Amino acid sequence: MQEFKNQSYVDFSQEENRKRMEDALGEVASHLGEEYELIIGSERLRAPKQFKSFNPSQKGEVVAIHQKADKELARKAIEEALRTFESWRWVKPEERAEYLFQAATLMGKRKLELAAWEVYEVGKSWPEADADVAEAIDFLEFYGREMIRYAQPQPLVRIPTERSELVYIPLGVGIVIPPWNFPLAILVGMTSASIVTGNTVVLKPSSDSPTIGAKFMEILEDVGLPSGVVNFLPGSGAEVGDFLVSHPQTRFISFTGSKAVGLRINELAAKHTPGQIWIKRVVAEMGGKDVIVVEEDADLEEAAQGVIAATYGFQGQKCSACSRVVVSSKIYDRFLDMLVERAKGIKVGPAKDPENYMGPVINMGPVINERALSSISQYIEIGKKEGRLLFGGERVEGNGYFLQPTIIADVDSSSRIAQEEIFGPVLAVLKANDFAQALQIVNGTEYGLTGALYTQDRGKINRAKREFHVGNLYINRKCTGALVGVHPFGGFNMSGTDSKAGGRDYLLLYLQAKAISEKV
Ligand code: NAD
């Protein structure tokens, strides 16, 4: 088998690729508004109620209609997953991995079509959508290889009187609950890790991006994955989510999303319910208050570029997005000017239009929905009181949820906009008198997901490696854009359960080890 290699990105500066993407967008447009069914085992079902997913660039445009699962359907999905577990758990790891490799190949063939769905359903720009599909393929290729590695004989200390082995076995039925912001990559990553290890799952996609989940289900069906291994159950997080998490037959929950929901799931999962014979495992990847430190000895051009890209890429709606920049007092005013100058060049508009991303730096589409627009706008109002509004702060005209890139300067580290996750295009700028203070600010929130340091000083770099407490630390580059296998991803403290997606210990979270010794 070939060694794992990350997918390359599509170069949209090439006329031919632009044309292909435009064709894909046109093709997907002709399927907007269609209805999708729930998938439980081999059955495709309708629920008593339906809901719609919308295009955030074009208010009111229905991307698709989906089933809103109720508790009865959720129960049925768990029962089906439980039944299928009895056969799937015995399928050879290499065979399970093969389904992932085939799904990766199919996804590669449908790359631009899947990216086009993301443009419509979550408002990703072309390159951001392409990168998400590429990451999903990477997860399939990476976890497939990882399963084969875990299936090999494991090293044990030998004693002359016994023959010993250690094997990794699956857990049981898992509930997979992904967010909408990496609608394919995270959904595929969590689902494929769950099933390649021999578990079966109930997949509840985000209600903002269910169609992307449905497209993955099409791919799983096309590669012949046995029915019941992944059961597709869109529905309300609050209604059906609690039921799935609390069910006594649920063995583990793989969640990515906000701190509030992650904590709720963790609490519910910890509560023993009658008939439950295990302690549920929770893998939770949660929010961030990610930060970039810019020292006076840094390459300021590079730093400004990095801060802008990390803050405004996908409108700041990445868990890894920069939302605080801590700037040395020696270059503070100069650096602010550089940020503002670049923010001015950012275009805001519908994700579908290529001119909204072909700019010199980075450009922005809409935020995901009305609720997000209003919550981010409220934070901007808070920020205006807590600091100095330096740039943006307003909605942008148009028929979508558009906001200006926003910069708020002179922010105190204890203020709300320096502490709470905003999840939108809002940057808080904080001043540090020295590097020690910068580190204090960096580590002064409840989160610990990503961070970056721009400096030419080796001493500061070494100190940051020890003291900058984040799961993903980057030196002299932006804090977004983790690659599977290269930057195993996941944060500390309230950013989650310290897992590392796309890393070599990730699959262990979905496995348990059995030690067997035979007397000789
Ligand atoms: P969210 O917490 O609102 O929703 C996440 C998922 O949980 C959705 O599928 C939702 O339907 C479901 N859900 C909601 N209530 C539930 C309940 N009571 N029980 C079970 N499921 C429930 O988050 P979001 O808006 O989809 O995503 C944005 C958040 O995700 C941000 O906080 C971001 O930082 C975080 N995120 C973290 C990572 C990471 O790797 N750490 C990656 C991406 C996003």
Side-chain angles (χ1 to χ4, degrees), residues 177-178 180-181 204 206 237 242 256-258 261 286-287 319 421 423:
I177 308 179
W180 52 268
N181 70 331
K204 196 216 79 62
S206 163
D242 283 3
T256 304
S258 62
V261 175
M286 301 167 5
C319 48
E421 186 181 50
F423 221 55

Side-chain angles (χ1 to χ4, degrees), residues 34-150:
E34 290 175 359
E35 183 169 338
Y36 293 80
E37 289 162 324
L38 286 167
I39 305 174
I40 299 179
S42 55
E43 285 185 278
R44 288 172 180 269
L45 301 164
R46 291 192 84 234
K49 290 187 189 156
Q50 285 72 38
F51 70 97
K52 292 171 180 157
S53 83
F54 292 99
N55 178 357
S57 296
Q58 190 71 40
K59 281 186 212 169
E61 181 169 69
V62 176
V63 172
I65 300 165
H66 287 268
Q67 309 305 316
K68 192 172 183 186
D70 58 12
K71 291 196 181 105
E72 232 5 85
L73 286 160
R75 190 190 323 275
K76 194 172 156 73
I78 290 193
E79 281 164 9
E80 181 62 34
L82 201 60
R83 203 169 17 254
T84 312
F85 180 61
E86 289 312 317
S87 49
W88 181 245
R89 64 193 293 192
W90 306 119
V91 172
K92 285 203 181 74
E94 294 77 7
E95 210 178 304
R96 297 196 303 249
E98 190 54 35
Y99 286 110
L100 268 58
F101 298 142
Q102 286 185 19
T105 304
L106 256 191
M107 212 175 262
K109 290 186 179 146
R110 294 179 61 175
K111 209 170 186 186
L112 290 183
E113 178 223 330
L114 292 165
W117 278 106
E118 297 201 14
V119 170
Y120 285 111
E121 196 161 48
V122 297
K124 286 219 180 216
S125 66
W126 296 12
E128 293 280 358
D130 169 53
D132 188 59
V133 181
E135 190 177 354
I137 297 173
D138 281 352
F139 277 133
L140 291 166
E141 294 281 0
F142 186 79
Y143 292 147
R145 285 167 174 76
E146 278 294 284
M147 188 61 238
I148 292 169
R149 186 171 70 83
Y150 279 113

Side-chain angles (χ1 to χ4, degrees), residues 462-483:
N462 288 337
R463 191 167 169 197
K465 284 186 186 175
R466 282 192 310 270
E467 294 177 37
F468 200 134
H469 194 59
V470 289
N472 288 77
L473 175 64
Y474 301 98
I475 314 286
N476 290 321
R477 56 149 283 186
K478 68 186 166 92
C479 61
T480 52
L483 285 173

